[in-house]
Every structure is written in C-alpha cells, then in structure tokens.
C-alpha cells in the first residue's frame, strides 16, 4: 500500500484527503496515518494539513523498496522488486529465488554487496549509498543459443536508461559494458541454468557506477561514474525504472523475432567505436580491423585490411580500440 500511496501523491502533486486514501485502499484512517509515518521515516517529506489531507512536499532522492515500486512503469519487468540494504551478490540471490519459483521479471536490488561478482571470476566492488546493483530474473522459452544475446538487449536498455535519466551520451562497449566519454560506467554479468536445449532461467546482473569516484587503482584509468560525468546528483531509482522500461520493450521485440534484427539499427547507433579501428584479441592471434557493428545474432563484424569481414563471437575474444579501452 505504501508504494501505491506514494505513486498517487506523486501523480496528484496536491493534497489527497485521508478519506480518499481510506476508500481507495480499503483501510482505516489509522492505517493511512501509520503508512505516512513510515514513509516519512524512510525520508519522504510528506505534509499533512487538517481538512486538506496529505501532500508530497518535495521530491527527495530516497532509494528503496517503495521508491522503486511506486515508480515502476512496466507490465512485467521489475515486478516484483525485492530490495535489500545488503546482499552478498544480487546475482546469487536471484539464482536462489529463480530456483525457488520466482517469476520472470522479478528484480533483486541491493544498496550494497559484500561479494559482488564481476566477469572472468573477478569481484565487483559494491560500496553502500552510492551505486546501482541489480539482477533481473528471466525465464525464457527460447533455446540456449539465444541466451548470450540477452546481455546485448540489456546493454541497449542500460544505455537508453542512462541517456533518459542523465542526458549523457551513453554508449555500448560490445558486449558487456556501457561507457560514457570513453570510460566504463556499467558492467553486466549474465548467468544461467540450463538442461540440454532448455533454459531454466537467466539472471541478468547489472552494476552501474552512479556516485562512486574512488575506484581501485587497477581500474582508475578506465572507470567513471555518472555523477562525475554529469556534474550533479543522479537519482538511482529513476535509472533502474528507466532501464526496466526500455528493457521490457526491447526484450519483447527480441523474443518475437528470435534474434536481434529488430534492434540492430538502434544498437549499432549506440555502439562505441563503430566504424573505428579496433584490435581483436583472438587467442589464435591478435588482428586489427574496422568495427562495422553487430549482426542479428549479436556477433561483432570486423572488416579486415583485405576487405574480408569476420563475425566475432563474444565468448572467444576481447575487442579494444587501438588507443585504449574503447
Ligand atoms: C563486469 O565484470 O564488468 C560485470 C560486473 C557485474 C556487476 C553486477 S552488480 C549486480 C550483479 N550482482 C553481482 O554480483 N554482479 C552483478
């Protein structure tokens, strides 16, 4: 009920009477009064005026269960939200929940992680009060070969969510990162459980650097955060809600087509380093070429000096700009 009250106060931008709240939610005046007290404790500035009712006095940047629920403007992605002050890893929690029957669209969010996981067995430093860490549970009915493309769909949604929330020109560093001004602001980690061709679930983990600036030395040159790039505060809940909204639409197109054809133009339009020179770090031998964007199965097309075009599969190699990370 608290999330619904919040959503109503936000939408109305004016006083809503206690009577209306009681009737709408089928609860007593005392229950409404208690809910308001709890919301105030969470940090919301709610004014109560006799004979007029309750009003959300100002938008505060509260981050938590009710803020996310009350803003989530989707049909299924990000529903329900399970918010934790602290978790080992949202991916790990999502896997447990998926095993225990959590439905597609369930979103696990944590303010901090004590054992955040990065790719290639690395850790993902996850301090409290500053960044975004979430994992979305998916239970697709497509076959295993399509699973790796889910990361690309999420990449598109994150880039779009950042653009929408912050007005920054976020770009996708194929296949797993999002960059702003050439520096990494987001990493993604998809994990899944499969049985032959069948996917039990995919958990899609996303970590976005929103406010943190003191990066570990090994990534200090290549990492950035949104607030630093934008120059003023970025509301964490709004980013998540915008990412979920974008993801829902893109994922439906992807599932309908069974490939990325319907998203190609948009994806390649946001791809970092497109039509620029790249180094392909192939275990069979490094080579250079021009990045020509991805194809409908998510491989990166790299044009070699002799004009031949290689379709680079994400699992096998890394791709770098010739002057550095992007
Ligand atoms: C990378 O190495 O770039 C991927 C980092 C992914 C981090 C996110 S934070 C939320 C989710 N939970 C985790 O433990 N990892 C992912």
């Amino acid at each position: 009920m608290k999330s619904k009250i919040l959503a109503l106060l936000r939408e109305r931008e004016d006083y809503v009477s206690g009577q209306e709240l009681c009737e709408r939610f089928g609860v007593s005046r005392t229950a409404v009064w208690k809910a308001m007290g709890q919301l105030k404790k969470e940090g919301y500035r709610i004014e109560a005026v006799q004979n007029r009712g309750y009003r959300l006095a100002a938008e505060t940047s509260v981050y938590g269960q009710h803020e996310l629920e009350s803003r989530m403007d989707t049909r299924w992605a990000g529903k329900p939200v399970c918010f934790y002050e602290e978790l080992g890893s949202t991916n790990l929690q999502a896997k447990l929940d998926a095993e225990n029957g959590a439905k597609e669209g369930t979103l696990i969010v944590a303010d901090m992680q004590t054992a955040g996981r990065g790719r290639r067995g690395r850790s993902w430093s996850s301090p409290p009060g500053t960044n975004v860490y979430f994992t979305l549970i998916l239970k697709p009915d497509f076959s295993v070969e399509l699973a790796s493309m889910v990361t690309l769909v999420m990449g598109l949604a994150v880039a779009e969510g950042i653009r929408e929330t912050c007005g920054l020109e976020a770009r996708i560093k194929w296949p797993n990162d999002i960059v702003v001004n050439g520096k990494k602001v987001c990493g993604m980690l998809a994990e899944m459980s499969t049985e032959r061709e069948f996917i039990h679930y995919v958990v899609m983990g996303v970590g976005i650097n929103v406010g943190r600036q003191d990066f570990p030395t090994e990534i200090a040159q290549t990492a950035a955060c949104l607030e630093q790039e934008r120059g003023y505060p970025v509301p964490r809940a709004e980013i998540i809600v915008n990412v979920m909204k974008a993801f829902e639409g893109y994922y439906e197109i992807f599932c309908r087509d069974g490939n990325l054809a319907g998203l190609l133009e948009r994806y390649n339009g946001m791809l970092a380093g497109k039509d620029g020179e790249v180094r392909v770090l192939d275990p069979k031998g490094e080579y250079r070429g021009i990045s020509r964007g991805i194809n409908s199965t998510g491989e990166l097309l790299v044009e070699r000096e002799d004009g031949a075009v290689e379709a680079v599969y994400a699992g096998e190699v890394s791709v770098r700009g010739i002057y550095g990370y992007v």
Side-chain angles (χ1 to χ4, degrees):
M1 179 177 75
K2 275 176 269 175
S3 304
K4 288 189 178 145
I5 291 181
L6 259 186
L8 181 66
L9 294 183
R10 193 177 286 127
E11 183 194 311
R12 200 65 72 79
E13 290 178 5
D14 197 2
Y15 290 93
V16 180
S17 74
Q19 184 64 30
E20 178 178 346
L21 291 166
C22 294
E23 282 166 13
R24 207 178 252 248
F25 302 116
V27 294
S28 66
R29 286 240 174 203
T30 320
V32 167
W33 178 79
K34 267 194 186 155
M36 293 300 175
Q38 285 161 358
L39 287 170
K40 278 189 205 167
K41 263 203 193 131
E42 285 175 29
Y44 293 99
R45 289 182 48 205
I46 295 171
E47 276 175 14
V49 174
Q50 237 180 2
N51 299 326
R52 295 191 74 181
Y54 299 94
R55 187 172 77 104
L56 198 55
E59 276 301 348
T60 39
S61 64
V62 180
Y63 187 53
Q65 180 78 31
H66 300 117
E67 183 68 5
L68 286 162
E69 263 176 8
S70 66
R71 287 186 179 275
M72 199 63 73
D73 177 26
T74 52
R75 279 175 290 107
W76 58 268
K79 290 187 173 172
V81 174
C82 308
F83 182 87
Y84 297 82
E85 293 298 336
E86 178 180 330
L87 271 182
S89 153
T90 55
N91 269 29
L92 202 61
Q93 185 64 43
K95 286 201 236 176
L96 290 173
D97 291 351
E99 303 273 359
N100 289 325
K103 70 178 177 94
E104 170 152 279
T106 302
L107 184 68
I108 313 298
V109 185
D111 181 52
M112 70 174 284
Q113 299 182 115
T114 52
R117 293 143 77 117
R119 284 185 307 114
R120 302 180 202 274
R122 287 190 285 250
S123 61
W124 185 259
S125 156
S126 310
T130 186
N131 289 339
V132 159
Y133 320 107
F134 71 77
T135 302
L136 181 66
I137 297 176
L138 297 166
K139 297 200 159 167
D141 54 15
F142 49 68
S143 67
V144 172
E145 305 90 75
L146 296 191
S148 64
M149 295 178 222
V150 175
T151 300
L152 307 190
V153 179
M154 183 56 90
L156 188 55
V158 172
E160 180 121 333
I162 291 175
R163 284 176 181 223
E164 175 85 16
T165 316
C166 314
L168 289 167
E169 205 191 87
R171 297 199 159 269
I172 305 161
K173 177 169 183 307
W174 179 88
N176 294 295
D177 298 342
I178 303 299
V179 295
V180 171
N181 299 326
K183 292 195 166 186
K184 175 166 171 173
V185 294
C186 163
M188 293 177 282
L189 178 67
E191 298 182 78
M192 60 179 157
S193 159
T194 59
E195 195 176 319
R196 285 187 222 101
E197 279 304 281
F198 177 75
I199 301 177
H200 291 297
Y201 59 79
V202 176
V203 299
M204 190 62 245
V206 176
I208 306 176
N209 301 330
V210 179
R212 188 193 186 182
Q213 304 192 7
D214 57 327
F215 296 106
T217 34
E218 62 276 18
I219 57 167
Q221 296 306 310
T222 51
C225 76
L226 299 178
E227 292 188 347
Q228 186 183 4
E229 297 307 307
R230 187 196 197 200
Y232 48 98
V234 174
R236 287 185 284 167
E238 209 176 309
I239 298 185
I240 297 182
V241 165
N242 285 335
V243 171
M244 285 301 114
K245 181 84 183 160
F247 182 83
E248 184 173 272
Y250 294 145
Y251 187 69
E252 284 175 2
I253 294 173
F254 165 65
C255 291
R256 180 198 66 197
D257 296 348
N259 59 47
L260 298 164
L263 305 175
L264 269 191
E265 207 180 309
R266 202 173 276 265
Y267 191 98
N268 286 330
M270 291 201 201
L271 184 62
K274 181 165 177 295
D275 297 322
E277 204 172 347
V278 288
R279 283 188 304 139
V280 180
L281 311 179
D282 190 322
K284 288 184 246 123
E286 183 181 322
Y287 61 90
R288 287 186 179 203
I290 307 289
S291 158
R292 293 297 183 205
I294 64 162
N295 62 15
S296 63
T297 47
E299 291 141 327
L300 186 71
L301 301 174
V302 176
E303 190 180 324
R304 299 185 76 150
E305 268 179 2
D306 62 2
V309 176
E310 305 273 356
V312 179
Y313 180 68
E316 299 159 358
V317 299
S318 300
V319 176
R320 297 272 179 278
I322 53 163
Y323 301 114
Y325 168 66
V326 175

